[in-house]
Amino acid sequence: MAEDAVAPVKPAPELDTTVSHSARIWNYWLGGKDNYAVDRQAGDKVAAMLPIIVVQARADRAFLGRAIRYLAGAEGIRQFLDIGTGLPTADNTHEVAQLIAPESRIVYADNDPLVLVHARALLTSTPQGSCDYIDGDLHDPDKILADAARTLDLAQPVALMLLGILHHVPDLDEAYSIVRRLVAALAPGSFLTINHSTSAVSGEAMEEAVRHWNQVGTPSMTLRTPEQIGRFFDGLDLLPPGVVSCSRWRPVPGQLPGTPAEVDEFCGVARKA
Ligand SMILES: C[S@@+](CC[C@H](N)C(=O)[O-])C[C@H]1O[C@@H](n2cnc3c(N)ncnc32)[C@H](O)[C@@H]1O
């Protein structure tokens, strides 16, 4: 696909409890209860092929917490656009941000109908801040931006969170194009945070697990190399330690003995100058 082409948006899927889905399998691995038998079966099969997947999912959520604490704390960010929300679990984006700054404004966007239902019920804001939920498809970044502008002031810095979602865009050029469009709409001083699956650590075991996922799960997953993941940050100021396994992005000193083991979720945080 050409560099700046974005695929036509498919209609939002209806809730189908006979097909396993990313958000619900993820919820299962995180220890949540918002999943169906079909999701648990798919999740168990992938976990049997790749036992570290559960550790990986939890490392992803722990990274989300550390990244938002950094952005809200050290960088003073008060606006967050989290695309690919997932089902509500512990330490959701708005909870971490509003614990530091209760006035924080958060917009969540996802295209899974179950995520939207749960988000509306469970993700409630502090009185000082606000939370909005967009039924939005990452393949249509302009609509997400237009809807987000109801709650966020896009003339002010925003932290754009794309965690565990870009690997659901199969075409790499389209994925780069979507990220460029989103970042272009953000004010200077905004941040881009990405976490993306790779097979750099587990190799064939991760690739085999993803092949299985792509037979039973939706939407499909595409693994990328750390170098390809790094290119999402082209033109931005990538913060130390750069693109690394998410378990190694600024781990909290003393929380675990030694250096955390790498997992196949690579991440980075970058500032728009
Ligand atoms: C693996 S979960 C990640 C959840 C959360 N961001 C996290 O890191 O824990 C992926 C989420 O992306 C959503 N998603 C996948 N493709 C999407 C798309 N094209 N547009 C919007 N959301 C999408 C799924 O519904 C799911 O909630």
Side-chain angles (χ1 to χ4, degrees):
M1 184 172 295
E3 274 277 294
D4 280 296
V6 173
V9 182
K10 296 190 195 113
E14 296 302 313
L15 180 56
D16 183 349
T17 60
T18 65
V19 178
S20 52
H21 190 276
S22 164
R24 302 186 315 241
I25 299 176
W26 199 246
N27 172 267
Y28 176 52
W29 287 333
L30 291 175
K33 302 267 177 279
D34 301 313
N35 44 71
Y36 299 104
V38 70
D39 307 309
R40 295 189 285 278
Q41 278 158 17
D44 284 343
K45 181 76 197 292
V46 173
M49 297 165 89
L50 186 72
I52 199 175
I53 195 79
V54 175
V55 175
Q56 240 167 255
R58 294 177 186 183
D60 166 279
R61 289 303 291 193
F63 164 68
L64 178 151
R66 293 196 304 282
I68 292 179
R69 272 190 286 280
Y70 170 76
L71 292 166
E75 299 289 351
I77 292 289
R78 297 292 177 264
Q79 304 194 102
F80 295 82
L81 174 55
D82 181 342
I83 309 180
T85 317
L87 285 156
T89 173
D91 294 336
N92 301 293
T93 296
H94 73 291
E95 289 164 335
V96 182
Q98 292 186 339
L99 203 59
I100 291 170
E103 72 275 24
S104 298
R105 285 180 278 168
I106 293 89
V107 172
Y108 290 107
D110 205 289
N111 69 346
D112 179 356
L114 190 66
V115 168
L116 265 294
V117 169
H118 280 68
R120 292 204 167 100
L122 296 177
L123 302 182
T124 51
S125 175
T126 55
Q128 304 96 314
S130 59
C131 273
D132 191 16
Y133 318 100
I134 296 174
D135 182 4
D137 192 313
L138 185 64
H139 294 278
D140 190 355
D142 293 335
K143 178 178 182 300
I144 291 181
L145 288 164
D147 289 351
R150 289 195 307 250
T151 304
L152 305 180
D153 177 358
L154 297 183
Q156 297 299 318
V158 171
L160 169 63
M161 314 298 295
L162 295 170
L163 304 185
I165 184 170
L166 285 165
H167 52 229
H168 291 310
V169 179
D171 186 285
L172 181 58
D173 287 336
E174 189 197 3
Y176 288 143
S177 174
I178 288 169
V179 172
R180 274 199 304 275
R181 274 205 203 189
L182 289 167
V183 170
L186 303 182
S190 293
F191 286 84
L192 170 66
T193 303
I194 287 176
N195 200 13
H196 192 301
S197 296
T198 179
S199 58
V201 179
S202 303
E204 176 55 26
M206 180 70 178
E207 284 157 21
E208 174 69 22
V210 167
R211 273 195 293 277
H212 175 73
W213 170 289
N214 287 341
Q215 283 163 12
V216 300
T218 55
S220 70
M221 274 187 69
T222 302
L223 297 172
R224 296 193 170 111
T225 65
E227 193 270 333
Q228 288 171 324
I229 297 167
R231 283 195 49 209
F232 284 109
F233 300 102
D234 281 359
L236 303 174
D237 299 332
L238 188 60
L239 304 189
V243 172
V244 293
S245 178
C246 66
S247 53
R248 293 194 174 171
W249 194 90
R250 305 186 182 198
V252 178
Q255 205 169 49
L256 294 169
T259 307
E262 285 188 296
V263 295
D264 267 327
E265 298 284 332
F266 273 51
C267 70
V269 179
R271 179 189 290 108
K272 180 172 174 177

